[in-house]
Amino acid sequence: MDTKIKTIGVLTSGGDAPGMNAAIRGVVRAAISNGMQVKGIYQGYKGLLNEEFEDLDARSMSDTISKGGTILYTARCKEFHELEVQKQAAEICRKHGIQGLVVIGGDGSFAGARALSKQGIHVVGVPGTIDLDIACSDYTIGFDTAVNTAMEAIDKVRDTSTSHERCSIIEVMGRNAGYLALWCGIANGAEDIILPETYDYDEQKLIDHIIDNRRRGKKLHIIINAEGIGHSASMARRIEAATGVETRATILGHMQRGGSPTCRDRVAGTMMGAYAVELLAKGTYNRVVAYKHGDYVDYDIEEALNMQKELPEFMVRVSKAMSV
Ligand code: ADP
Ligand code: F6P
């Protein structure tokens, strides 16, 4: 019997990320090169359950590599946590002849893919999230664009904050992970960076730091706050009351997830999408594509989901040293 995969599906799931289109394009064109057909699945697992499919050919992907967002749309689908729903999704894949499925998304989306693998669907995960919080991979598609977008926005807040000699608390995305905050904190020269992984909730330390900096002649105080800590507006009110320094909060929000992907995200998306297809083409599945020590590699999906990731201690230490 010919066991070679002839038809694959591709979907994007969870929060979108710039470069997801490059990843879809990488999947579609690598699949065509390998003699496979591709079904695009709209709106992640929600669209899979609703059978929202479209055949994708090489031309379907024209003019997409430079576009932000995802042409397949994305969704969060609560029902997908239920075993019966996962079984139903696997049946739908079989009904449409989908022998392999590429899931572009974060850890949550990979948990959904792992559930499908348990129902006999051959899956490969591609890390797409601005949060950089996938343990098995040093890089996730979308981070570079998002961190540069945030950095540019923070530069602008910094200008007005300097003019008014204010303290600014700027909140960046990242769900429970502090990567965006840490990178912006270093790149924007923040006086303080509040990270979910290390924050001890001792606000007095921030207050003392602001007062001390004022005494030493520093006129500006930028605090990067991670979404995982949140409460930037109330924090700003308390800090202003305690220090007497005018303080404003800015929440950058979803603008960080949009925009044309950077070169890094276009290349990472293309490579990881194509890598996923090459795995399926050689009969390797239930894997997660990763970028590790400068190479594209893959891990067993179960192993990948069990890995833990920590903020690089050296970066955290240097970020503190830079704010003296
Ligand atoms: P991300 O993939 O960016 O981490 P989410 O955590 O929101 O995003 O997950 C995206 C979707 O993946 C969820 O809406 C749900 O459909 C599916 N999913 C998440 N966790 C699980 C799980 N444990 N089992 C099955 N499906 C899951
Ligand atoms: O996972 C990407 C992300 O942008 C997180 O940084 C953030 O916590 C979350 O998605 C926001 O999700 P939503 O678009 O549903 O508000």
Side-chain angles (χ1 to χ4, degrees), residues 13-15 45 75-78 80-81 86 105-109 111-112 115 175:
S13 165
Y45 296 122
R76 295 206 168 87
C77 175
K78 267 201 195 133
F80 214 74
H81 288 257
Q86 295 159 4
D107 266 343
S109 303
R175 199 147 47 172

Side-chain angles (χ1 to χ4, degrees), residues 88-231:
Q88 193 190 331
E91 269 317 307
I92 291 170
C93 287
R94 283 188 272 274
K95 179 172 127 192
H96 288 268
I98 294 172
Q99 299 159 295
L101 179 66
V102 180
V103 171
I104 305 166
D107 266 343
S109 303
F110 294 171
R114 174 180 57 187
L116 279 176
S117 75
K118 291 188 176 148
Q119 301 307 321
I121 303 302
H122 298 164
V123 300
V124 178
V126 169
T129 166
I130 64 164
D131 299 344
L132 198 69
D133 63 346
I134 293 181
C136 70
S137 190
D138 294 342
Y139 192 68
T140 62
I141 300 160
F143 177 74
D144 189 57
T145 310
V147 82
N148 277 289
T149 301
M151 182 191 75
E152 284 169 21
I154 294 166
D155 279 345
K156 293 184 169 79
V157 177
R158 189 186 178 95
D159 287 345
T160 167
S161 217
T162 305
S163 306
H164 288 264
E165 299 178 38
R166 279 177 177 160
C167 170
S168 269
I169 303 179
I170 305 162
E171 189 173 311
V172 298
M173 271 188 162
R175 199 147 47 172
N176 300 316
Y179 295 94
L180 278 166
L182 178 60
W183 280 64
C184 286
I186 293 172
N188 293 97
E191 275 62 38
D192 285 293
I193 311 171
I194 311 179
L195 303 167
E197 293 86 348
T198 58
Y199 188 46
D200 59 5
Y201 289 86
D202 185 354
E203 215 165 88
Q204 192 57 44
K205 277 190 204 150
L206 296 172
I207 290 164
D208 293 344
H209 196 198
I210 295 165
I211 294 170
D212 191 43
N213 273 351
R214 285 282 150 146
R215 278 203 201 104
R216 292 187 300 112
K218 257 197 170 182
K219 297 235 161 85
L220 171 76
H221 200 103
I222 298 285
I223 301 174
I224 306 294
N225 187 24
E227 181 189 12
I229 301 296
H231 303 287

